[in-house]
C-alpha cells in the first residue's frame, strides 16, 4: 500500500537516521522532507539513492507563512495525484536558543514558533488530507519532567504561563541568559505534549497522534546555537554517556522514531512513547485546562496566516 509520510527535521541527528530507516523498512513510502531550500534538495537526493521515493518541499519553520506555503504545496501535489495518500506526519524539527529573546518573522518567540506553532499549523492544514489509518508523531523531550533523573540537571524544567506570554520574547527571568533559552525549550516540549492530547480528542477516528521522547541524545545539532564550549561537549564529551543508561544513542533514538512513525510501536492515540514503548509523561503534562487554553491560543495565533492560493486556516 503506497503512502506518503511528511517529515520535518530529517536533515541531521535522529531525524536523518529515522528517515533512512523508514525508507529501508518500508519501500512503499514516499517520504516528503520539509527543509530549507538547498539543504532540502541535497537531502532528497541523498535519501533517494538506491531508488527510494523521496521529494522535498522548501520551508523555513520559523516563518508561519513559509509553513503555510509548504503545506499548500503538499496539498496540491496530493490532490493532483503526484503523491500517494497521506498517512503520516513526523514533526521532528526543534530548536533551542541561548536566550529567550529571539523573535520569529511573525513576532513570536522563536523556540515557541518552531517547536509548537509550526507543527500545529502543518497538522491543521493537512488534517483533512490524512487517510486512515494515519499517524502523526511529534517529537517531545523528557526535559518536560524538569528533574535531575530525566535531564541530569542540564536543562531547567518548564515554567508554564499563559500561552500569550509564552509565545512572546522575554517570558522568563533573565531572558538574555542561556538558562532562559533552555527553559523556553523545555516549556515548548511540554506544550507539544498538551497539543498531542488535543489532537487525540479532535482529529478524526483513525488519525492517531503520538508524542515521542528520544531521551537525552548527545551529538545532535540541537546545541548548534550554544557557545563553543557547550558545542564541543555535546559533540565530543557527552556522547560517552550513551554507554550508560543516562543517554540514548542517535542511531537507537532514530530507529525508535521510525518505528513509531511506521506504527511498529503499538500506542493509542494521545500516547507518550518513551523510545520504544508507551509510558506516562510527567504529571504536569496531564492538564486538560492548559491543553484547551493552548489549543485556543495556537488557533488564534495561526488563524490569520494567509496561505498560497488565498486559503486561510479556519
Amino acid at each position: 500500500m503506497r503512502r506518503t509520510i511528511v517529515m520535518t527535521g530529517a536533515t541531521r541527528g535522529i531525524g536523518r537516521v529515522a528517515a533512512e530507516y523508514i525508507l529501508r523498512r518500508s519501500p512503499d513510502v514516499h517520504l516528503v522532507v520539509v527543509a530549507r531550500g538547498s539543504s532540502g534538495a541535497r537531502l532528497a537526493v541523498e535519501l533517494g539513492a538506491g531508488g527510494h521515493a523521496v521529494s522535498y518541499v522548501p520551508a523555513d519553520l520559523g516563518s508561519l507563512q513559509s509553513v503555510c506555503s509548504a503545506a499548500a504545496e503538499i496539498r496540491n501535489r496530493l490532490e493532483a495525484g503526484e503523491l500517494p495518500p497521506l498517512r503520516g506526519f513526523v514533526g521532528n524539527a526543534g530548536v533551542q536558543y541561548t536566550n529567550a529573546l529571539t523573535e520569529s518573522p511573525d513576532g513570536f518567540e522563536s523556540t515557541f514558533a518552531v517547536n509548537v506553532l509550526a507543527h500545529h499549523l502543518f497538522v491543521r492544514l493537512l488534517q483533512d488530507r490524512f487517510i486512515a489509518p494515519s499517524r502523526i508523531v511529534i517529537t517531545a523531550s523528557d526535559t518536560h519532567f524538569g528533574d535531575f533523573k530525566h535531564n541530569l540537571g542540564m536543562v531547567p524544567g518548564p515554567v508554564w504561563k499563559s500561552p500569550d506570554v509564552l509565545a512572546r520574547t522575554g517570558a522568563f527571568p533573565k531572558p538574555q541568559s542561556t538558562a532562559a533559552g533552555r527553559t523556553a525549550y523545555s516549556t515548548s516540549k511540554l506544550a507539544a505534549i498538551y497539543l498531542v492530547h488535543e489532537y487525540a480528542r479532535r482529529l478524526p477516528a483513525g488519525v492517531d497522534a503520538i508524542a515521542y521522547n528520544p531521551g537525552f541524545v548527545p551529538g545532535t545539532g540541537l546545541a548548534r546555537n550554544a557557545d563553543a564550549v557547550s558545542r564541543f561537549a555535546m559533540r565530543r564529551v557527552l556522547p560517552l554517556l550513551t554507554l550508560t543508561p543516562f543517554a540514548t544513542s542517535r542511531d537507537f533514538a532514530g530507529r525508535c522514531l521510525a518505528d513509531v512513525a511506521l506504527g511498529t510501536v503499538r500506542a493509542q492515540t494521545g500516547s507518550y512513547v518513551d523510545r520504544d514503548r508507551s509510558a506516562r509523561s510527567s504529571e504536569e503534562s496531564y492538564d486538560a485546562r492548559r491543553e484547551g487554553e493552548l489549543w485556543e491560543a495556537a488557533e488564534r495565533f495561526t488563524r490569520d496566516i494567509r496561505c498560497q492560493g488565498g486559503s486561510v486556516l479556519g
Side-chain angles (χ1 to χ4, degrees):
M1 178 177 62
R2 296 189 66 231
R3 52 182 165 158
T4 293
I5 295 177
V6 176
M7 184 174 186
T8 72
T11 306
R12 58 172 70 85
I14 67 171
R16 179 60 180 263
V17 173
E20 293 172 350
Y21 193 67
I22 286 171
L23 293 167
R24 287 200 305 271
R25 284 285 307 274
S26 296
D28 62 317
V29 166
H30 185 120
L31 186 66
V32 177
V33 292
V34 178
R36 293 178 185 270
S38 59
S39 61
R42 184 171 59 253
L43 177 63
V45 170
E46 293 171 357
L47 291 174
H52 298 300
V54 183
S55 57
Y56 84 99
V57 173
D60 173 4
L61 297 184
S63 163
L64 295 183
Q65 181 61 62
S66 182
V67 170
C68 224
S69 297
E73 180 175 338
I74 294 168
R75 288 182 61 90
N76 290 340
R77 293 179 62 190
L78 287 165
E79 291 165 4
E82 297 174 14
L83 294 172
L86 179 63
R87 294 185 183 273
F89 175 79
V90 182
N92 178 63
V95 296
Q96 182 182 125
Y97 290 93
T98 55
N99 59 68
L101 294 172
T102 306
E103 189 173 78
S104 76
D106 305 291
F108 298 107
E109 192 276 320
S110 291
T111 314
F112 192 88
V114 174
N115 297 0
V116 182
L117 295 181
H119 290 145
H120 179 69
L121 190 55
F122 261 123
V123 169
R124 292 288 281 122
L125 291 173
L126 295 177
Q127 74 174 56
D128 66 330
R129 302 303 306 174
F130 285 104
I131 303 298
S134 295
R135 182 169 275 195
I136 294 166
V137 182
I138 306 297
T139 299
S141 167
D142 52 13
T143 59
H144 85 276
F145 281 92
D147 57 18
F148 186 86
K149 174 183 176 182
H150 289 91
N151 61 35
L152 303 179
M154 291 184 289
V155 179
V159 178
W160 192 257
K161 301 184 179 184
S162 162
D164 287 278
V165 174
L166 295 175
R168 306 300 175 180
T169 59
F172 307 104
K174 298 181 179 179
Q176 75 283 0
S177 68
T178 298
R182 290 176 178 172
T183 302
Y185 176 80
S186 62
T187 305
S188 75
K189 293 302 183 177
L190 176 61
I193 297 173
Y194 285 151
L195 285 178
V196 164
H197 293 165
E198 284 294 308
Y199 299 148
R201 296 186 184 103
R202 297 171 183 267
L203 293 176
V207 182
D208 294 343
I210 307 293
Y212 168 69
N213 170 43
F216 171 53
V217 186
T220 68
L222 188 61
R224 57 187 175 275
N225 294 311
D227 60 84
V229 173
S230 297
R231 293 198 306 271
F232 177 81
M234 281 291 287
R235 288 197 310 266
R236 302 298 183 186
V237 180
L238 294 179
L240 296 175
L241 288 176
T242 59
L243 301 175
T244 76
F246 296 108
T248 311
S249 73
R250 182 177 59 183
D251 287 347
F252 181 68
R255 290 197 304 271
C256 289
L257 174 57
D259 285 337
V260 175
L262 292 172
T264 305
V265 176
R266 298 183 61 181
Q268 294 181 337
T269 186
S271 294
Y272 177 81
V273 174
D274 183 5
R275 282 154 277 206
D276 59 354
R277 66 197 64 189
S278 291
R280 188 168 175 83
S281 50
S282 71
E283 291 304 315
E284 186 180 10
S285 70
Y286 299 95
D287 188 319
R289 181 189 61 79
R290 289 182 182 179
E291 290 162 4
E293 181 184 43
L294 178 60
W295 172 274
E296 291 177 2
E299 291 290 282
R300 177 161 38 86
F301 296 150
T302 58
R303 186 172 293 127
D304 295 329
I305 301 299
R306 190 165 295 278
C307 292
Q308 187 178 24
S311 61
V312 180
L313 182 64

